[in-house]
Amino acid sequence: SPTLATASSGISVTGSVVADGLTVDGSTQFNTGAAGVAEFYHTSGLGGLRVTGSASGSASTIFLSNDKSGTPFDIYSFWGNGSDDSLEFFSGGSPTTGTKRLKLASNGDISFYNDSAAQALFWDSSTSRLGLGTTAPDSKLTVNITAAGDGIELQSNETSIAKLSRTTVGSTVVASLDGVSGRPIHVGGVVNEDVILANAGGNVGIGTSTVNISGFSKALTIDSSESGIELSSSGTIQALFAANTQGATVHGVGSSGIRMFTSASGSTTERFRINADGSCRWTPDGTTHDMTLTASGYLLIGKTNTTFSTAGIELRSGNLGARFTRNFAEPIFVHRTGNDGNIIKFYSQNAE
């Protein structure tokens, strides 16, 4: 049979065609026949391109290879996936045997895949959000961290300086900002302004990059001229711990003043209190006010009021003297030891 024949529809060739070039009229189609395969090579057999079509129209594939004499078309392939009208790229074989690396969805979403065929990086076109390790980013950048120590690493000249990761406190997973040995973590309000600095030893500085100003080992150093640590309850300021050039200051802002406890339970173990009116009270056993300094400057021992009939000792300022009251017994005991002599001396008008 002839290897070349003409027909009304064109030229039919049986076998191979060797030509210096091939021109296809743009108004016609290049038909690969029922096999749907076209292969193109350099004369050296290297640098191959293969195009396959599908009779059902569900997919078409383009293969790239660098060696026809070896395993052809095993480098990269990409196809138009007719099931969802996406464009997908594969390495190491065909779309059914290779590893998916990239998918461009018809709606604009972009997915990059890891070696396990999981979507490692995802661009959500509808929300303009980027997800790492997640296909449902909730913010402009969402990083899904599945293990402690993994996360976002910051480097300087290819050297790690910090990592934003996750850790577990009790049974709760929380965020963790971790520094590296010899490199503290610095949080600034503006460039080069000290706000918070945590060094590798676990110490924290606020308003200073030197967390041992006094030379003592400490966990927290605050350097500020007039501000300090503010304590609030339900949005209401209760106390302020500060420092200035005159020294350390403690400010009780709330109506309860400043209270000190020796345990976490504050209802029964209060030991000392400075009230808002300036009065103070000491409670050694947590229940009885053994000593009280009133706003008027009276020192009460064993009593909480200035009623004369109430048992206790009352030392009054302002030249008002002292009161000693005891129920059913002597209010004052005076005992001299060592030798005999005067027990009590009384003075009148500065004269003995």
Side-chain angles (χ1 to χ4, degrees):
S1 60
T3 58
L4 175 65
T6 59
S8 60
S9 59
I11 300 174
S12 175
V13 178
T14 301
S16 300
V17 176
V18 179
D20 292 335
L22 177 65
T23 301
V24 179
D25 190 336
S27 63
T28 64
Q29 294 181 340
F30 186 82
N31 190 341
T32 61
V37 177
E39 297 182 354
F40 304 87
Y41 293 96
H42 186 268
T43 56
S44 64
L46 302 178
L49 173 65
R50 182 182 191 185
V51 180
T52 65
S54 172
S56 62
S58 60
S60 59
T61 307
I62 298 177
F63 297 84
L64 301 178
S65 176
N66 64 353
D67 185 4
K68 182 179 185 301
S69 61
T71 303
F73 311 115
D74 61 346
I75 307 301
Y76 296 103
S77 63
F78 57 97
W79 72 343
N81 191 338
S83 63
D84 58 5
D85 294 333
S86 64
L87 181 61
E88 297 178 326
F89 293 77
F90 301 83
S91 66
S94 70
T96 56
T97 62
T99 301
K100 185 186 295 186
R101 298 300 185 183
L102 173 65
K103 178 177 180 178
L104 306 178
S106 60
N107 63 357
D109 292 350
I110 304 174
S111 299
F112 290 85
Y113 295 80
N114 59 23
D115 289 343
S116 301
Q119 289 173 279
L121 188 149
F122 175 75
W123 169 255
D124 190 330
S125 177
S126 63
T127 60
S128 297
R129 294 172 177 174
L130 183 64
L132 296 176
T134 176
T135 58
D138 298 321
S139 303
K140 289 299 182 182
L141 173 62
T142 300
V143 181
N144 182 34
I145 303 173
T146 59
D150 196 7
I152 301 175
E153 182 178 87
L154 303 180
Q155 293 186 349
S156 175
N157 296 325
E158 303 298 326
T159 300
S160 177
I161 59 176
K163 179 176 289 186
L164 180 59
S165 182
R166 53 167 276 185
T167 188
T168 302
V169 178
S171 59
T172 303
V173 176
V174 298
S176 174
L177 179 59
D178 304 317
V180 298
S181 178
R183 295 180 181 271
I185 297 175
H186 180 272
V187 179
V190 296
V191 177
N192 295 326
E193 179 181 285
D194 293 323
V195 177
I196 299 177
L197 181 137
N199 65 18
N203 299 323
V204 177
I206 299 178
T208 177
S209 58
T210 305
V211 296
N212 59 343
I213 296 175
S214 63
F216 293 98
S217 177
K218 57 184 70 67
L220 174 64
T221 299
I222 300 177
D223 187 10
S224 180
S225 59
E226 290 293 340
S227 60
I229 301 176
E230 180 181 283
L231 304 180
S232 62
S233 177
S234 301
T236 301
I237 301 174
Q238 299 294 339
L240 174 67
F241 296 86
N244 53 36
T245 56
Q246 284 73 43
T249 60
V250 180
H251 305 266
V253 182
S255 58
S256 298
I258 299 174
R259 305 167 68 184
M260 297 183 181
F261 301 84
T262 54
S263 69
S265 177
S267 60
T268 59
T269 56
E270 180 183 316
R271 305 302 185 183
F272 178 74
R273 176 188 294 192
I274 301 177
N275 296 309
D277 61 1
S279 62
C280 307
R281 72 186 192 190
W282 291 265
T283 313
D285 63 359
T287 56
T288 304
H289 303 160
D290 286 354
M291 188 180 301
T292 301
L293 180 63
T294 69
S296 301
Y298 297 172
L299 179 62
L300 309 178
I301 302 175
K303 59 189 300 184
T304 59
N305 59 69
T306 58
T307 302
F308 184 54
S309 60
T310 302
I313 299 174
E314 181 180 342
L315 303 179
R316 295 189 166 199
S317 62
N319 199 31
L320 297 178
R323 294 179 176 183
F324 301 84
T325 304
R326 186 183 181 191
N327 295 328
F328 308 109
E330 300 86 349
I332 299 177
F333 291 85
V334 181
H335 184 200
R336 175 174 175 162
T337 63
N339 62 350
D340 292 334
N342 297 329
I343 303 300
I344 299 177
K345 289 185 176 182
F346 296 91
Y347 295 86
S348 176
Q349 302 299 323
N350 298 323
E352 184 173 349

